[in-house]
Amino acid sequence: MKTKPRVVVGLSGGVDSSVAAKILIDQGYEVIGMFMKNWHDESVTISNECPWMEDSTDAMLVAEKLGIPFQAIDLSEEYRERIVDYMFSEYEAGRTPNPDILCNREIKFDIFLKAAQKLKADFVATGHYCQKREIEVNGKPVYQLIAGADPNKDQSYFLCQLSQEQLAKALFPIGHLHKPQVREIAKEADLITAEKKDSQGLCFIGKVRLPEFLQQQLKPKKGKIIQIPENLPVYDQAKVPAGMEPPDWDQETLDSICLPIHYQPEQGKVLGEHNGAHYFTVGQRKGLQVGGTGKPLFVIETNTQQNVIYTGLGEDHPGLNRFGLFVQTDQIHWIREDLALNPGESAGYEARIRYRQALSKATLVRKENGLYVIFENAQKGIASGQFVAWYQGEECIGSGTIF
């Protein structure tokens, strides 16, 4: 008689992972609950909002209620190395990291997966709102990452860096449900997490105050806030040429539309001072503390070398709204390796550059140096270091770090 497949569920102490565990038990899996402790430093958390102790207790109580074994695992060392240090170095370089995407790639579906495999687990499961399907391509199984059924909660974007090897071992038991249904199941099963608020904030560091968090390592230093006019000649070059499709554009056109624009102080006027360019991100409007401009002011570039923030006035500023972005070759990731583009090839997909953003039509053009992504409609606040993910219908096909 075949033994039941064994699954380790990452119990975070929230309702989603609690219900994921419950569903797996009902489906006949042998389930083990495991809580990941990822963060020790209490000095920068909003302590009453980051009660990992409470989360770990809730996770334990859920496991007890469901009658499954429970373990806590301390991954704070790996977490610091792979996530926290990455965040500091990205902000320091003037880029905007996405810790949640990295946390899934590096922690939940790598270190945590390996810990689960030591317990002879066949799969790991999480409470993510996304789905997995299996198809056959050239006689081999290929795993698809599919959006969650709840459009308000779809988290496929956060999993856009997973590989076929990682997806093969992943289960997403609540991906076909809507959030209210998940709470309903938790209530019926009398789970302590049924009414618990959703956690916000960095993966599961809890609510960290970002400026204080960054100030631990990145010291404040005063610099200039400069306003860039909207009639710079460089904006004319970054316009989409009429009557030509992106695959037919020459290299110069692709570069001027897709590569970030770098400004010089003499191109604009000084509006005020800031406390450190590395605390700001492209598209940001809060925290500049410059008054009297009439329309809102947005960050359009941060230069951490010169410690200058460049801004544009109003939502329609051409520095804020760009039609393209670029992903370097070593940063291109295909979940569907069988659909990967080779240099010289192009394809139409829908793409997003942030979580929960509506998908927009885009053309992907692959060149020797990387991947150019050109949108049908201008995108607001394309930020270096963030991730672009492209989809075919509800399937996430691949992703990459924005240059």
Side-chain angles (χ1 to χ4, degrees):
M1 182 186 139
K2 189 183 179 317
T3 54
K4 298 176 178 179
R6 179 178 291 179
V7 190
V8 173
V9 182
L11 287 179
S12 65
V15 66
D16 299 330
S17 58
S18 307
V19 171
K22 162 90 174 85
I23 288 173
L24 290 168
I25 295 167
D26 294 346
Q27 288 172 346
Y29 289 94
E30 182 200 340
V31 180
I32 298 170
M34 198 183 263
F35 177 81
M36 287 171 259
K37 182 176 180 198
N38 290 338
W39 190 243
H40 280 319
D41 189 339
E42 303 294 329
S43 62
V44 287
T45 53
I46 304 175
S47 49
N48 58 357
E49 294 207 29
C50 178
W52 69 262
M53 285 297 294
E54 184 192 317
D55 286 340
S56 111
T57 307
D58 288 349
M60 187 174 71
L61 291 169
V62 164
E64 209 171 288
K65 182 84 187 170
L66 295 173
I68 58 174
F70 175 78
Q71 288 192 7
I73 179 172
D74 188 340
L75 300 179
S76 46
E77 215 23 66
E78 293 86 346
Y79 194 83
R80 178 173 286 285
E81 275 167 30
R82 294 200 190 190
I83 309 297
V84 179
D85 291 351
Y86 146 84
M87 286 185 66
F88 283 133
S89 65
E90 286 289 275
Y91 275 109
E92 200 162 18
R95 291 189 293 268
T96 309
N98 191 315
D100 296 276
I101 289 179
L102 229 71
C103 191
N104 286 316
R105 185 183 86 192
E106 300 284 332
I107 305 289
K108 291 182 191 166
F109 294 95
D110 184 15
I111 294 174
F112 180 67
L113 173 60
K114 287 175 181 140
Q117 286 172 325
K118 282 193 185 134
L119 297 174
K120 308 231 180 319
D122 301 292
F123 299 101
V124 292
T126 60
H128 281 110
Y129 285 86
C130 65
Q131 306 175 77
K132 169 178 127 174
R133 293 191 191 137
E134 188 180 330
I135 55 173
E136 206 173 272
V137 178
N138 304 327
K140 292 198 191 78
V142 168
Y143 298 99
Q144 297 177 292
L145 177 65
I146 307 286
D150 186 338
N152 297 316
K153 282 285 173 193
D154 166 39
Q155 289 175 315
S156 56
Y157 176 73
F158 286 143
L159 298 158
C160 67
Q161 282 275 299
L162 294 194
S163 65
Q164 283 294 311
E165 294 71 39
Q166 289 171 311
L167 274 175
K169 298 285 181 204
L171 296 176
F172 306 114
I174 65 165
H176 63 294
L177 298 170
H178 285 230
K179 185 77 188 205
Q181 296 172 291
V182 170
R183 289 211 182 273
E184 200 44 53
I185 294 170
K187 225 186 258 160
E188 280 168 22
D190 195 23
L191 300 177
I192 191 166
T193 52
E195 304 289 336
K196 193 168 171 181
K197 273 212 328 261
D198 287 352
S199 70
Q200 295 297 324
L202 293 180
C203 346
F204 24 69
I205 296 182
K207 270 209 171 164
V208 166
R209 289 197 189 92
L210 204 57
E212 278 103 322
F213 177 66
L214 293 174
Q215 274 168 17
Q216 283 193 314
Q217 286 206 10
L218 310 176
K219 294 290 163 256
K221 48 180 179 204
K222 289 218 178 295
K224 294 188 174 104
I225 298 175
I226 290 178
Q227 182 187 342
I228 296 289
E230 47 195 76
N231 56 1
L232 280 193
V234 66
Y235 294 142
D236 293 331
Q237 293 156 6
K239 286 204 174 102
V240 172
M244 263 173 85
E245 289 302 309
D248 305 327
W249 295 353
D250 60 20
Q251 190 67 41
E252 198 181 335
T253 306
L254 282 170
D255 285 345
S256 60
I257 288 171
C258 298
L259 294 182
I261 298 172
H262 296 301
Y263 302 95
Q264 294 305 323
E266 56 275 10
Q267 289 175 303
K269 61 174 187 187
V270 177
L271 286 186
E273 278 195 332
H274 59 79
N275 281 326
H278 44 258
Y279 300 139
F280 290 84
T281 176
V282 169
Q284 182 173 340
R285 59 178 280 192
K286 293 192 169 70
L288 285 166
Q289 288 161 343
V290 175
T293 53
K295 290 193 223 165
L297 207 57
F298 292 90
V299 176
I300 58 174
E301 193 203 358
T302 61
N303 184 321
T304 52
Q305 267 70 48
Q306 305 173 342
N307 196 29
V308 175
I309 292 176
Y310 296 98
T311 59
L313 197 56
E315 307 244 359
D316 306 325
H317 194 282
L320 183 66
N321 299 282
R322 302 283 316 270
F323 280 93
L325 60 85
F326 177 65
V327 178
Q328 287 174 297
T329 299
D330 66 348
Q331 295 294 317
I332 305 171
H333 173 71
W334 294 91
I335 300 173
R336 287 288 303 276
E337 294 156 9
D338 56 307
L339 297 177
L341 295 175
N342 295 312
E345 295 179 336
S346 62
Y349 284 110
E350 290 189 294
R352 58 167 55 106
I353 54 168
R354 56 180 70 89
Y355 173 51
R356 293 201 50 188
Q357 180 192 31
L359 290 168
S360 309
K361 278 196 174 143
T363 304
L364 275 59
V365 178
R366 178 77 161 92
K367 296 286 185 192
E368 288 294 344
N369 58 333
L371 183 71
Y372 292 84
V373 179
I374 300 97
F375 291 92
E376 204 171 89
N377 300 312
Q379 300 293 305
K380 196 165 146 190
I382 296 178
S384 243
Q386 283 282 10
F387 288 83
V388 57
W390 49 95
Y391 289 72
Q392 197 162 25
E394 47 177 15
E395 180 184 0
C396 184
I397 302 294
S399 64
T401 316
I402 299 172
F403 177 70

